[in-house]
């Protein structure tokens, strides 16, 4: 009986192909909107996470000042190079600790100049920042101690000054930074844009001492980068780091911290939390259109029931039971809605694949949202098909047969 | 033209009834529509007995209660008071679904307006009652083909109503009514929408089904020419049965040539 009813429903859908298509258009749009929104949202979340991971995994950034942002560092003493060494030596679970100083400069070489910033640090900077060399070598120990005139340049600087293909050229050349010239001993592998949109490749790396002596003229260090070992206890490590820095900066118990610790994991959680909220929001808005699509189905089913009053009367007269007529119309609306769901999924897959490419986020197929949308649209068929179907089933066959 | 209908192929068919078995018994059946000032008594207590194998024409002017009586006889409606026994069962006590089951098992309907499903082949239209009886596709196909054959529409199975003439559409409707091998065929003004020539063909067909296959035929008509085919005439006036008598001169079977359009 169920199978026969299914055939009846399919037959009736086929008989009114254009109208069936228009009926399900709302569901098609609703389902494809929901799936596209969620898929793109997931892709954006993934993209943010990837970009933050490129900052360095398990990274703690310690800055001077009570809070992040402009003015936060006012009055607070800077770090010293020895702070990094102490952290590395005294706290367990630290993979690398790098002091980092920065200055904005204009570099000149090969007859061109380029405004960039110069970073002073140690080889540990490569570990904390998840950097790799495209070519060349790291700093020698004596170069770091002596503050030698050597530098490792980012891909953007290399391209702007020396030109040529990716990662090639510039090695061994001379680059003038302010009043001194350094020899390019390496080129950083490109990391591209950071999560905030700034170009991470636009920098020149020199030994910290080189920066202090030849560029800034001070021994101070603005930032400490600390990379934790995998699986180390994030919270405990942060607590002991804070304790150590308070001691070294001679803060009394009553004093507030005059530095702050930023956890990239936290940053990642915050940012991906934001994109997830956006995804949910957009998905919810799209889900409203799904509901509207359901009302469209009810509308057309009601029209269809009225239009087919004589047919219903005939079916009842020749012996169809109430529930058989109910089932016929219910299945018709469920099949319509489910069909809309399937078409919506197909469109959504194509659309989100194409849009992911345009937006530069990865395309992630999410089986859960596809299944959910399908089940939801079929559910809409039941929900909005029930009322018209019951109306059909409860018709009086005599009245229905007389209907003009 | 008439392929034998004997030898049922349907699992769900009712056993055939011997001609002369009491089949329908109405006792003091009344039907009231509305209430209070708008109350209308369509049937004012009628008694009627019909046996298996009869061909009864129900006549009467508009508003005489003949359609109401037909609806009650067809188990589409229930009497307000009185008793209706169909094949021993008290129809007035049956639920809506029980009456539907009774209809699908024992009754076939032919309507004035044909009531075929549009954009649906003759074959599928005829199969419809069997679908509700749960017959398999194979049985449905064979039975529908046989029923169409028996109304002279062999070869027209795949035509939709729009591609058939009025007479042909009514033949499809009759095929649909007899495909389930009913005990009773109820025809409500079956020739009302047809010209004289087609009307006579349809009446010949009904008489053939009655005489050769023992199907009881109840027919409402207001045309004396059509009632003349019946062997019993029941005349309704004002909610009463005014007369109920055997047709003294049932129309003789026309020459076979007249049956072929």
């Amino acid at each position: 009986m169920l199978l026969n009813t299914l055939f009846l429903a399919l037959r009736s859908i086929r008989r009114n192909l254009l109208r069936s298509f228009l009926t399900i258009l709302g569901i098609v749009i609703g389902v494809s909107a929901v799936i596209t929104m969620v898929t793109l949202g997931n892709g954006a979340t993934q993209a943010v996470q990837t970009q933050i991971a490129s900052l360095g995994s398990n990274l703690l950034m310690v800055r001077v000042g009570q809070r992040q942002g402009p003015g936060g560092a006012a009055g607070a003493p800077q770090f010293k190079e020895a702070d990094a060494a102490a952290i590395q030596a005294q706290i367990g679970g630290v993979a690398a600790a790098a002091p980092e100083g920065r200055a904005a400069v204009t570099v000149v070489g090969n007859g061109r100049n380029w405004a960039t910033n110069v970073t002073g640090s140690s080889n540990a900077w490569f570990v904390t920042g998840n950097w790799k060399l495209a070519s060349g070598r790291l700093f020698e120990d004596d170069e770091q101690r002596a503050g030698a005139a050597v530098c490792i340049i980012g891909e953007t600087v290399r391209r702007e000054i020396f030109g040529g293909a990716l990662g090639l050229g510039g090695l061994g050349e001379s680059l003038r930074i302010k009043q001194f010239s350094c020899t390019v001993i390496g080129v950083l592998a490109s990391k591209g844009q950071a999560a905030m949109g700034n170009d991470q490749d636009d920098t020149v790396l020199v030994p910290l001492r080189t920066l202090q002596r030849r560029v800034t003229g001070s021994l101070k260090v603005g930032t400490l980068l600390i990379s934790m070992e995998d699986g180390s206890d994030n919270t405990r490590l942060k607590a002991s780091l804070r304790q150590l820095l308070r001691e070294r900066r001679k803060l009394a118990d009553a004093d507030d911290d005059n530095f702050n610790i930023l956890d990239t994991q936290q940053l990642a959680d915050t940012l991906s939390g934001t994109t997830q909220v956006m995804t949910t929001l957009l998905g919810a808005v799209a889900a409203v259109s799904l509901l509207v699509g359901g009302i469209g189905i009810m509308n057309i089913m009601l029209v269809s029931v009225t239009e087919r009053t004589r047919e219903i009367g005939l079916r009842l007269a020749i012996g169809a039971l109430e529930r058989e007529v109910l089932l016929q119309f219910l299945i018709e609306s469920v099949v319509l809605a489910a069909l809309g769901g399937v078409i919506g999924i197909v469109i959504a897959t194509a659309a989100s694949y194409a849009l992911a490419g345009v937006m530069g986020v990865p395309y992630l197929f999410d089986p859960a949202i596809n299944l959910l949308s399908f089940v939801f649209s079929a559910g809409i068929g039941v929900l909005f098909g029930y009322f018209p179907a019951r109306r059909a089933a409860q018709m009086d066959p005599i009245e229905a047969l007389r209907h003009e | 033209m008439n392929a034998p209908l004997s030898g049922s192929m349907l699992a769900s068919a009712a056993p055939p009834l011997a001609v002369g078995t009491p089949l329908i018994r109405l006792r003091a059946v009344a039907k009231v529509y509305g209430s209070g000032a708008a109350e209308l008594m369509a049937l004012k207590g009628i008694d009627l007995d019909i046996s298996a194998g009869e061909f009864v024409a129900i006549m009467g002017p508009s508003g005489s209660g003949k359609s109401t009586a037909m609806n009650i006889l067809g188990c589409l409606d229930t009497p307000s008071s009185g008793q209706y026994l169909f094949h021993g069962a008290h129809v007035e006590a049956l639920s809506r679904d029980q009456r539907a089951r009774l209809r699908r098992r024992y009754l076939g309907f032919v309507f004035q307006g044909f009531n075929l499903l549009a954009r649906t082949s003759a074959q599928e239209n005829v199969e419809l009652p069997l679908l509700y009886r749960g017959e398999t596709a194979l049985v449905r196909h064979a039975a529908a083909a046989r029923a169409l054959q028996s109304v002279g529409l062999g070869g027209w199975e795949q035509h939709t109503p729009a591609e058939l003439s009025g007479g042909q559409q009514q033949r499809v409707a009759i095929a649909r009514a007899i495909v389930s091998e009913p005990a009773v065929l109820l025809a409500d003004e079956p020739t009302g929408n047809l010209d004289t020539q087609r009307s006579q063909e349809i009446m010949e067909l009904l008489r053939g089904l009655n005489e050769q296959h023992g199907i009881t035929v109840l027919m409402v008509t207001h045309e004396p020419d059509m009632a003349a085919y019946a062997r019993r005439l029941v005349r309704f006036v004002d909610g009463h049965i005014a007369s109920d008598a055997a047709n003294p001169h049932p129309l003789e079977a026309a020459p076979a040539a007249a049956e072929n359009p």
Side-chain angles (χ1 to χ4, degrees), chain A residues 11 310 316 319 322 324 393, chain B residues 96 103-104 115 120 124:
Chain A
R11 233 174 252 172
R310 276 165 76 94
L316 289 169
E322 219 170 286
E324 286 168 342
Chain B
R96 197 178 138 111
R103 287 198 297 274
R104 71 162 75 154
N115 281 321
T120 306
E124 284 182 56

Side-chain angles (χ1 to χ4, degrees), chain B residues 17-30:
Chain B
L17 298 169
V19 169
T21 316
L23 186 60
I24 286 172
R25 169 171 293 187
L26 299 185
R27 284 292 173 271
V29 165

Side-chain angles (χ1 to χ4, degrees), chain A residues 308-323:
Chain A
R308 285 154 70 187
T309 299
R310 276 165 76 94
E311 176 193 330
I312 294 161
L314 173 79
R315 288 180 188 277
L316 289 169
I318 64 174
L321 301 181
E322 219 170 286
R323 63 179 151 84

Side-chain angles (χ1 to χ4, degrees), chain A residues 318, chain B residues 103-104 106-111 116 125-126 129 133 147 151 170-187 206 209 215:
Chain A
I318 64 174
Chain B
R103 287 198 297 274
R104 71 162 75 154
Y106 290 105
L107 306 182
F109 290 89
V110 178
F111 308 95
L116 299 177
N125 264 295
V126 173
R133 296 224 312 216
V151 298
Q170 192 61 301
R171 282 162 187 269
V172 173
I174 292 173
R176 182 181 61 197
I178 62 172
V179 74
S180 55
E181 299 172 12
V184 182
L185 186 68
L186 296 109
L206 290 179
L209 291 168
I215 297 177

Side-chain angles (χ1 to χ4, degrees), chain A residues 87-342:
Chain A
I87 290 164
Q88 175 95 61
Q90 293 177 29
I91 298 176
V94 171
E100 188 192 67
R102 271 178 192 252
V105 293
T106 299
V107 296
V108 183
N110 195 23
R112 302 185 214 179
N113 61 61
W114 179 246
T116 180
N117 64 71
V118 59
T119 304
S121 190
S122 64
N123 281 337
W125 189 80
F126 285 87
V127 180
T128 59
N130 212 8
W131 286 99
K132 286 186 176 52
L133 279 175
S135 60
R137 61 170 177 88
L138 298 177
F139 301 123
E140 304 286 358
D141 281 352
D142 57 336
E143 286 171 346
Q144 296 197 48
R145 268 197 304 275
V150 288
C151 55
I152 297 172
I153 57 176
E155 174 59 25
T156 304
V157 175
R158 192 204 59 72
R159 191 182 63 234
E160 295 298 332
I161 298 290
F162 301 107
L166 187 74
L168 294 175
L171 271 188
E173 302 275 351
S174 165
L175 187 70
R176 192 157 64 77
I177 305 170
K178 281 199 162 176
Q179 272 71 47
F180 82 104
S181 281
C182 64
T183 311
V184 177
I185 60 164
V187 178
L188 295 169
S190 174
K191 287 214 298 195
Q193 258 187 7
M196 312 302 185
N198 52 322
D199 181 2
Q200 298 182 88
D201 296 329
D202 190 7
T203 193
V204 176
L205 181 69
V206 297
L208 180 64
R209 190 142 307 164
T210 311
L211 179 82
Q212 290 172 335
R213 285 192 184 158
R214 304 186 192 230
V215 183
T216 60
S218 107
L219 287 176
K220 289 163 184 170
V221 173
T223 309
L224 297 174
L225 300 172
I226 295 138
S227 150
M228 297 177 283
E229 280 169 359
D230 283 341
S232 57
D233 184 345
N234 194 323
T235 322
R236 225 189 55 210
L237 197 145
K238 264 158 79 178
S240 37
L241 175 65
R242 177 165 171 255
Q243 196 53 45
L244 179 70
L245 284 173
R246 282 181 71 88
E247 281 168 22
R248 291 182 64 85
R249 293 162 78 81
K250 302 187 173 58
L251 291 174
D253 285 351
D255 292 342
D256 290 330
D257 289 350
N258 57 5
F259 58 90
N260 66 72
I261 301 170
L262 179 77
D263 186 342
T264 50
Q265 191 55 50
Q266 247 171 22
L267 189 69
D269 290 349
T270 309
L271 283 177
S272 49
T274 309
T275 53
Q276 269 156 14
V277 167
M278 289 303 289
T279 304
T280 312
L281 205 67
L282 288 171
V285 170
V288 171
S289 64
L290 205 52
L291 204 67
V292 173
I295 293 169
I297 285 200
M298 175 152 78
N299 189 9
I300 298 293
M301 288 306 294
L302 277 173
V303 170
S304 166
V305 164
T306 308
E307 212 181 65
R308 285 154 70 187
T309 299
R310 276 165 76 94
E311 176 193 330
I312 294 161
L314 173 79
R315 288 180 188 277
L316 289 169
I318 64 174
L321 301 181
E322 219 170 286
R323 63 179 151 84
E324 286 168 342
V325 173
L326 180 93
L327 207 62
Q328 182 195 340
F329 281 88
L330 203 55
I331 285 182
E332 208 172 302
S333 79
V334 171
V335 167
L336 274 176
L339 203 66
V342 169

Side-chain angles (χ1 to χ4, degrees), chain B residues 189-237:
Chain B
E189 306 256 12
T191 60
N193 284 359
L194 300 176
D195 62 33
T196 312
Q197 173 75 30
R198 304 302 145 217
S199 297
Q200 284 170 355
E201 286 165 18
I202 294 297
M203 291 315 301
E204 291 292 344
L205 191 55
L206 290 179
R207 182 163 63 188
L209 291 168
N210 171 254
E211 286 177 355
Q212 287 158 39
H213 308 299
I215 297 177
T216 310
V217 178
L218 305 183
M219 177 180 72
V220 166
T221 182
H222 59 263
E223 294 171 81
D225 290 353
M226 301 304 136
Y229 284 83
R231 279 179 290 155
R232 179 176 168 191
L233 302 175
V234 177
R235 193 175 301 273
F236 277 72
V237 175

Side-chain angles (χ1 to χ4, degrees), chain B residues 124-177:
Chain B
E124 284 182 56
N125 264 295
V126 173
E127 282 182 24
L128 202 59
L130 300 181
L131 204 63
Y132 288 112
R133 296 224 312 216
E135 297 285 355
T136 63
L138 214 63
V139 171
R140 291 203 306 268
H141 274 65
R146 191 159 75 160
L148 281 168
Q149 189 77 42
S150 72
V151 298
L153 282 179
W156 294 81
E157 287 86 353
Q158 296 315 316
H159 289 70
T160 63
E163 298 164 351
L164 297 171
S165 71
Q168 286 172 319
Q169 288 186 50
Q170 192 61 301
R171 282 162 187 269
V172 173
I174 292 173
R176 182 181 61 197

Side-chain angles (χ1 to χ4, degrees), chain B residues 17-87:
Chain B
L17 298 169
V19 169
T21 316
L23 186 60
I24 286 172
R25 169 171 293 187
L26 299 185
R27 284 292 173 271
V29 165
K31 183 70 189 178
V32 181
Y33 291 112
S35 59
E39 192 178 281
L40 177 77
M41 206 158 187
L43 287 181
K44 298 171 178 169
I46 59 167
D47 299 331
L48 187 64
D49 289 272
I50 295 169
S51 303
E54 287 199 75
F55 187 163
V56 184
I58 297 173
M59 302 189 68
S62 305
S64 62
K66 63 182 193 301
S67 290
T68 306
M70 196 65 167
N71 287 337
I72 290 175
L73 286 170
C75 303
L76 292 168
D77 206 351
T78 48
S80 305
S81 66
Q83 283 188 339
Y84 174 19
L85 278 120
F86 182 91
H87 202 225

